[in-house]
Amino acid sequence: MQRDAQKSRAQFSTAKRRSVLTLLILIPSALASAYVGSVLPEKGSTPLELAIIIVYSILFAWISVGFWTAIMGWFTLMRRYDRFTASHALSEPLEPESAPRTAVLFPICNEDTPRVMAGVKTTYLSLQRTGKTEQFDIHILSDSGSADKWMEEEAAWAGLVEELGAQERIFYRNRKVNLKRKSGNVADFCRRHGRSYTYMAVFDADSVMRGDTLCDMVHIMERRPRIGILQTAPACFGRETLLGRLQQFANRAYGPMFAAGLHFWQLGDAQYWGHNALIRVEPFMRHCGLPRLSGNPPLGGDILSHDFVEASLMRRAGWEVWLAFDLTGSWEENPPNLLSELKRDRRWCQGNLQHLRLLFTEGLFPAHRVLFLNGAMSYVSALLWFLFLMLSSAEAVLQAMVGPSYFAATRSLFPSWPVWQPLWALVLLGTTGVLLFFPKVLSYLIIVFKTRQAKQFGGALKLLSSIVLEVAFSALLAPIRMFFHSKFVCITLLGRKIGWGSQQRDDRPTTWGDALRFHGGGTLFGLLWGGIVWLYAPRFFWWIAPIVLPIVLSMPLSVLTSHDGPGRWLRKKGLLLIPEETCPDQEIRDVTRFTAEMEAAPVPLNLPRQAGFLRALLDPAVNGLRRALLLRHKRNPGEAARKRSASLTEKVLTAGPNALSPGEKLTLLRDPDGLLAVHRQAWTADDGAVRRAWLKQA
């Protein structure tokens, strides 16, 4: 009865909060739209001005969502209490016999192996410190397709297991067929091992989580049996490039407030972000299988952004999805440069636009339909801003070329005098600026006066300076992001699909050649746009200059923000600091140190760490490991398989490893007899001449 009463109160509060949010969005948006009409020279009476009003009203409503989310997050954090917070369950003791098994999943695909293994090691040791290691297993689920990367990962995993003595705790599997990317990787795990676990914590390749945070999440799920997915709000860390430091500072300074605001509006209808979350395995397996969309990619075929869809399916089945905004000890890394960020955004844009096809799926909760629309608007809004600016520019050029119309189409004794009031436009611009930047002021007030964490950001004055710096660079980079996001939406709607490869996770800077190739078209467009407006409406040019000039300067901005020199200099000056740098948790120190140690670790035979295939042929330990794993499930090969094995063995011994195609390398790695034959011959034939020749080629 008590649970039913709590559920009824939550449902009532959810409906009330969302009704208030709807009014807070619609009423100011209507007033802003009317004001825009009064500012325009023709008062919105022309088709062009009407289009400007419509586009602006949509955009005003869009940015209002973020503003009111920040406002309610501010109130939530200032009160330090929300009766519906999932973490209240931590005050309720667990049953004595409660010891559910949890799998920690690291789905990876062609990632930096030392960084992945450092994250695994850090998480395992952190779990060990909780004293509950026996309740957790770690599974590294690899979709890496090349022979070199596969063997590099397998060797690193074996070494880590040996070092930690975790033979029955840390597992590795390389998937033979990469279907449906990460969602397919997790689904494959569920089919193989899902019934052995109550929960699974899904990570990204760069995720790190504190052991006690994982235990707290299990505790919450045990005490709240209707929660199907519990999502944390991961903090960003680990970047030294200027862009990376700007992004992780924004995440740490403003992120907690926005996460609290999302919780306030969403409650049990939250979204799942695909990583750093705990999932109840049984309902996930039963209800969260992803459909295949009709038609061809990019808008058809396999669903790319699986996380929002899985959350909506879990909710449709009656299970709740919560954002544990107040749980700390959950981390991830952000892209190091603008090119990496935009390449990731292009993939996300395609995936989020696919969600529009699911808006009217039967049985979905209204909140998740809104989340689908919200995800698509993350990119469509850029196209709308772009259209708004183009329409405004066209209006200015048209007014300059054609001149105003003094007499309306209807008969009138008196002319109509179009009036342009710059002050009105400044008021409109200022209102938009408040919606965008006032939340950052609120974040500053929370850090300085409520949580009193200013020292962790370098002090109150340095924190304020960092916010000003972040706002300045955000203003510079926003037009570039707008241009590219608009482009991504257009090319997706035109039917051009993209790849879904691994992300760049190191601090390698952008070259001028890459910047020219990626930003050259945008630079030319900015010059053309600005030149036309300057030629025909020079006074209006200064209104759009803050947008046009960053697009024109996108190449140097992209290169500058990709280097770690400016980032390190700012760090020395105490700017853009985050708590993970000033007072890092043990896990942050560990993953940084372990990554450096694993990158510097010597490799037997002085082979490159990345030469995994050659290591499997020559290194006795790697070769023996590969054959031992194969012999666990050895099958008697047929005559055709034996002939193919003999042919590959002869080919590699006579022409060398590089003569094999990628597919032939993978075939040999799945042949224990062929691997043994090649290994023996490489060490014994002609007194090791074959081995020495291969080592010289490495």
Side-chain angles (χ1 to χ4, degrees):
M1 292 294 292
Q2 184 179 2
R3 285 277 170 84
D4 292 339
Q6 290 175 346
K7 184 177 180 180
S8 298
R9 286 197 299 271
Q11 291 174 342
F12 176 75
S13 294
T14 300
K16 182 173 66 175
R17 292 180 182 188
R18 291 173 189 169
S19 298
V20 170
L21 176 62
T22 302
L23 293 175
L24 289 174
I25 293 171
L26 293 181
I27 294 175
S29 298
L31 295 174
S33 300
Y35 191 77
V36 170
S38 69
V39 167
L40 293 172
E42 302 291 345
K43 310 303 180 187
S45 60
T46 66
L48 184 59
E49 290 190 354
L50 180 61
I52 291 174
I53 294 172
I54 292 173
V55 172
Y56 184 80
S57 64
I58 297 173
L59 289 170
F60 193 91
W62 163 248
I63 62 177
S64 295
V65 175
F67 175 80
W68 292 114
T69 297
I71 292 296
M72 298 319 300
W74 185 78
F75 277 113
T76 300
L77 293 181
M78 290 297 289
R79 289 187 305 166
R80 287 191 176 180
Y81 180 80
D82 185 287
R83 58 178 171 163
F84 299 113
T85 303
S87 60
H88 290 326
L90 293 174
S91 62
E92 303 171 14
L94 292 175
E95 299 296 332
E97 67 277 6
S98 177
R101 297 196 67 208
T102 302
V104 181
L105 309 186
F106 282 85
I108 61 175
C109 181
N110 299 316
E111 302 287 351
D112 180 59
T113 303
R115 174 60 184 84
V116 172
M117 297 303 164
V120 172
K121 182 178 179 180
T122 298
T123 301
Y124 180 83
L125 292 177
S126 187
L127 281 169
Q128 210 171 48
R129 288 193 286 272
T130 69
K132 299 180 180 179
T133 316
E134 70 282 353
Q135 298 179 24
F136 294 86
D137 292 336
I138 296 178
H139 291 260
I140 305 167
L141 310 177
S142 173
D143 268 347
S144 301
S146 74
D148 282 326
K149 179 57 71 173
W150 176 16
M151 289 299 98
E152 180 190 355
E153 292 170 353
E154 193 168 89
W157 158 73
L160 182 61
V161 167
E162 184 68 24
E163 175 190 351
L164 298 175
Q167 284 77 7
E168 299 301 324
R169 286 284 173 257
I170 303 177
F171 305 94
Y172 172 87
R173 184 267 292 135
N174 180 270
R175 196 159 57 130
K176 189 174 182 179
V177 181
N178 183 352
L179 291 176
K180 295 187 177 181
R181 302 172 181 85
K182 181 177 179 179
S183 63
N185 202 352
V186 173
D188 181 75
F189 166 82
C190 289
R191 284 190 295 270
R192 293 169 179 263
H193 309 291
R195 289 174 178 80
S196 301
Y197 299 96
T198 305
Y199 308 110
M200 61 180 180
V202 181
F203 284 14
D204 258 355
D206 57 6
S207 296
V208 179
M209 194 177 289
R210 215 165 47 215
D212 58 3
T213 301
L214 275 167
C215 293
D216 285 347
M217 294 173 75
V218 171
H219 187 134
I220 292 171
M221 297 278 268
E222 286 287 280
R223 296 303 306 171
R224 297 290 183 267
R226 295 310 303 167
I227 296 181
I229 300 177
L230 185 63
Q231 174 70 63
T232 65
C236 292
F237 80 103
R239 293 272 76 97
E240 291 289 358
T241 64
L242 177 55
L243 181 73
R245 295 190 62 77
L246 288 164
Q247 295 275 57
Q248 67 190 20
F249 171 79
N251 167 271
R252 295 298 281 115
Y254 320 135
M257 184 178 69
F258 279 96
L262 286 174
H263 159 80
F264 183 88
W265 298 124
Q266 294 172 348
L267 296 181
D269 298 322
Q271 69 263 59
Y272 164 46
W273 293 325
H275 58 89
N276 292 58
L278 190 66
I279 299 175
R280 201 177 297 271
V281 176
E282 191 274 332
F284 183 86
M285 293 174 61
R286 179 179 297 180
H287 303 293
C288 296
L290 297 181
R292 182 178 175 83
L293 299 177
S294 61
N296 296 321
L299 295 179
D302 293 335
I303 294 175
L304 300 183
S305 294
H306 59 94
D307 36 21
F308 277 29
V309 182
E310 289 164 344
S312 68
L313 295 176
M314 182 73 81
R315 192 70 187 98
R316 182 175 70 172
W319 298 85
E320 297 172 354
V321 182
W322 286 83
L323 172 60
F325 71 94
D326 54 342
L327 284 185
T328 60
S330 176
W331 298 278
E332 64 172 336
E333 295 177 358
N334 52 284
N337 56 59
L338 190 58
L339 296 195
S340 297
E341 177 193 314
L342 292 173
K343 288 176 183 177
R344 180 201 64 183
D345 285 351
R346 184 176 176 181
R347 298 193 301 268
W348 286 1
C349 174
Q350 179 178 329
N352 286 4
L353 289 178
Q354 280 185 320
H355 294 166
L356 294 178
R357 297 190 56 189
L358 302 171
L359 273 178
F360 303 105
T361 301
E362 183 180 358
L364 294 186
F365 275 54
H368 283 275
R369 299 184 198 272
V370 172
L371 287 175
F372 284 160
L373 187 61
N374 183 71
M377 274 296 294
S378 300
Y379 298 96
V380 174
S381 62
L383 180 59
L384 292 177
W385 278 116
F386 184 76
L387 289 175
F388 177 75
L389 292 167
M390 291 297 102
L391 292 170
S392 301
S393 299
E395 170 77 359
V397 171
L398 189 64
Q399 289 286 328
M401 294 178 64
V402 178
S405 175
Y406 296 100
F407 293 94
T410 58
R411 292 184 179 182
S412 176
L413 292 176
F414 302 100
S416 174
W417 301 98
V419 179
W420 168 252
Q421 294 286 354
L423 180 61
W424 296 355
L426 286 173
V427 170
L428 192 64
L429 184 64
T431 303
T432 306
V434 168
L435 292 181
L436 292 173
F437 298 115
F438 184 63
K440 301 188 178 188
V441 176
L442 295 181
S443 293
Y444 177 80
L445 296 176
I446 286 177
I447 294 171
V448 173
F449 298 109
K450 187 64 177 180
T451 62
R452 302 191 182 278
Q453 293 179 321
K455 286 186 178 180
Q456 298 180 16
F457 292 88
L461 184 59
K462 292 290 180 66
L463 172 60
L464 181 60
S465 301
S466 297
I467 290 176
V468 171
L469 186 65
E470 189 275 329
V471 168
F473 271 96
S474 293
L476 285 173
L477 296 175
I480 304 173
R481 293 180 174 121
M482 175 202 69
F483 176 80
F484 276 98
H485 289 178
S486 302
K487 178 181 174 182
F488 298 160
V489 172
C490 290
I491 63 178
T492 300
L493 295 178
L494 290 173
R496 290 177 55 188
K497 66 177 183 178
I498 60 165
W500 196 278
S502 59
Q503 302 179 39
Q504 178 189 335
R505 301 191 190 272
D506 58 16
D507 286 343
R508 186 171 64 254
T510 299
T511 65
W512 282 100
D514 288 339
L516 176 62
R517 186 168 60 254
F518 209 76
H519 297 287
T523 300
L524 292 176
F525 174 81
L527 289 170
L528 181 64
W529 176 19
I532 291 174
V533 174
W534 176 264
L535 183 63
Y536 291 100
R539 291 178 62 187
F540 184 74
F541 172 82
W542 298 110
W543 287 91
I544 64 169
I547 308 296
V548 173
L549 293 180
I551 294 177
V552 172
L553 299 173
S554 57
M555 282 190 288
L557 282 172
S558 185
V559 172
L560 171 67
T561 56
S562 73
H563 281 271
D564 60 4
R568 293 179 187 275
W569 182 82
L570 288 170
R571 181 175 177 174
K572 289 180 181 178
K573 297 297 181 180
L575 297 174
L576 301 180
L577 291 176
I578 59 174
E580 283 69 22
E581 294 169 331
T582 55
C583 50
D585 287 62
Q586 178 68 46
E587 288 74 15
I588 298 299
R589 295 196 299 269
D590 283 350
V591 74
T592 304
R593 177 166 57 89
F594 294 156
T595 301
E597 290 174 353
M598 292 178 182
E599 287 175 344
V603 178
L605 304 177
N606 290 322
L607 284 167
R609 175 171 44 81
Q610 297 84 355
F613 180 66
L614 192 55
R615 292 171 64 187
L617 300 183
L618 296 181
D619 185 346
V622 180
N623 184 273
L625 170 67
R626 178 90 288 270
R627 288 187 292 107
L629 293 173
L630 290 169
L631 291 173
R632 288 182 179 180
H633 310 286
K634 185 178 181 181
R635 299 176 181 175
N636 292 324
E639 185 62 28
R642 281 193 290 268
K643 288 183 178 179
R644 184 171 63 250
S645 174
S647 174
L648 284 179
T649 300
E650 182 178 356
K651 183 176 181 179
V652 72
L653 289 172
T654 55
N658 293 332
L660 271 60
S661 68
E664 289 174 332
K665 290 179 179 179
L666 294 174
T667 300
L668 183 57
L669 289 176
R670 294 187 175 94
D671 176 13
D673 296 330
L675 281 173
L676 180 59
V678 171
H679 180 69
R680 283 177 173 172
Q681 288 295 314
W683 279 86
T684 60
D686 296 331
D687 197 26
V690 173
R691 181 187 75 254
R692 290 191 294 272
W694 290 357
L695 289 174
K696 288 181 181 179
Q697 297 172 9

